[in-house]
Amino acid sequence: MPAAQVSVVVICFNAADTIRRTLQAARKLSDNILVVDSGSTDDSLSIIQEEGAQLIAMEWQGFGANKNRGNQEATHDWILSIDADEVLSEALVNEILSLDLSDAHVAFRIKRLNYLNNQPIYHGGWKNDWTTRLFNRTVVQWDEVPVHENLQLSPAVKIRKLHSGWLHHYTSPNIDVYNQKLEQYATLVAEKYFIKGKKGSSYKTYLSPVYSFFKSYILYAGWLDKKAGWQIALAHARYTFKKYKKLALLRRK
């Protein structure tokens, strides 16, 4: 039986390739699924309707803001927050169903398995990817920074890990699409750093990308993922360079 005290909130934009699997897996956990869509132009909206999820259509205001809107309209205080390219494994669903959710001052971290072109990535910068996604909205909410949003957790909130199954994250169908995503993130992160008054030195601009590649491909054994490991390490090195370069341009302006 679904865990009636948990609502699943999904943010979506043009995710027709993945969102059906996302919603079908979420339905095994909850009878209250909300999709916050920010203007999809593909088949996402029709799939959402077919799968019986509640649609919340709103303009893109940022990851945190859109997620908080879904949390506000959910039926239950306990929220599982996922993206439209993330799929709950059967084992993860079963563990969440077995949880004691009587304490609102607990939030749960979930282990995520990332995929590039449907290949699971076990090493490099994508390994050991733990993310806090299950929480009580009366105590926890998302901050509303432009990118890389975080949950606002008071010292009273205890973090626990779930150890069964995965949150399967179908990150990108190929490296070109992933690089396009990182290009957008580089712009948003540069703007975030600029607002915070962070300075992008020449040292960081040119040495941080080198260290990023070395850490992902060598220290974290990205080479074990073969071609995909090389591509991901290179993509993140390029992203690191671009975010600091964009920050420097903002500071000059």
Side-chain angles (χ1 to χ4, degrees), residues 16-149:
D17 291 340
T18 56
I19 195 168
R20 190 181 299 278
R21 284 182 295 174
T22 298
L23 297 178
Q24 289 177 348
R27 184 63 66 193
K28 298 175 183 177
L29 173 68
S30 175
D31 55 6
N32 183 226
I33 303 173
L34 304 90
V35 180
V36 183
D37 185 86
S38 53
S40 291
T41 55
D42 61 2
D43 291 333
S44 294
L45 298 182
S46 61
I47 295 171
I48 293 166
Q49 184 178 26
E50 290 169 10
E51 294 299 328
Q54 178 182 338
L55 174 64
I56 301 171
M58 65 178 290
E59 293 182 357
W60 179 248
Q61 297 179 10
F63 291 96
N66 282 46
K67 289 180 178 182
N68 284 334
R69 169 70 181 280
N71 297 349
Q72 291 165 6
E73 297 200 19
T75 299
H76 309 296
D77 287 335
W78 278 97
I79 304 293
L80 177 66
S81 180
I82 60 176
D83 296 344
D85 57 1
E86 295 176 333
V87 179
L88 300 164
S89 72
E90 193 82 27
L92 179 57
V93 168
N94 291 335
E95 183 171 6
I96 295 174
L97 287 171
S98 69
L99 291 174
D100 177 4
L101 299 177
S102 59
D103 184 359
H105 288 84
V106 176
F108 296 91
R109 289 174 67 79
I110 297 169
K111 194 167 187 180
R112 190 164 63 164
L113 180 60
N114 298 286
Y115 292 75
L116 179 65
N117 192 25
N118 288 320
Q119 175 187 341
I121 305 298
Y122 294 104
H123 309 91
W126 287 3
K127 77 170 186 177
N128 293 328
D129 185 5
W130 288 90
T131 178
T132 305
R133 297 294 189 84
L134 180 60
F135 55 88
N136 193 297
R137 67 180 177 186
T138 64
V139 178
V140 178
Q141 64 178 353
W142 295 99
D143 64 23
E144 298 191 0
V145 297
V147 68
H148 294 164
E149 72 288 359

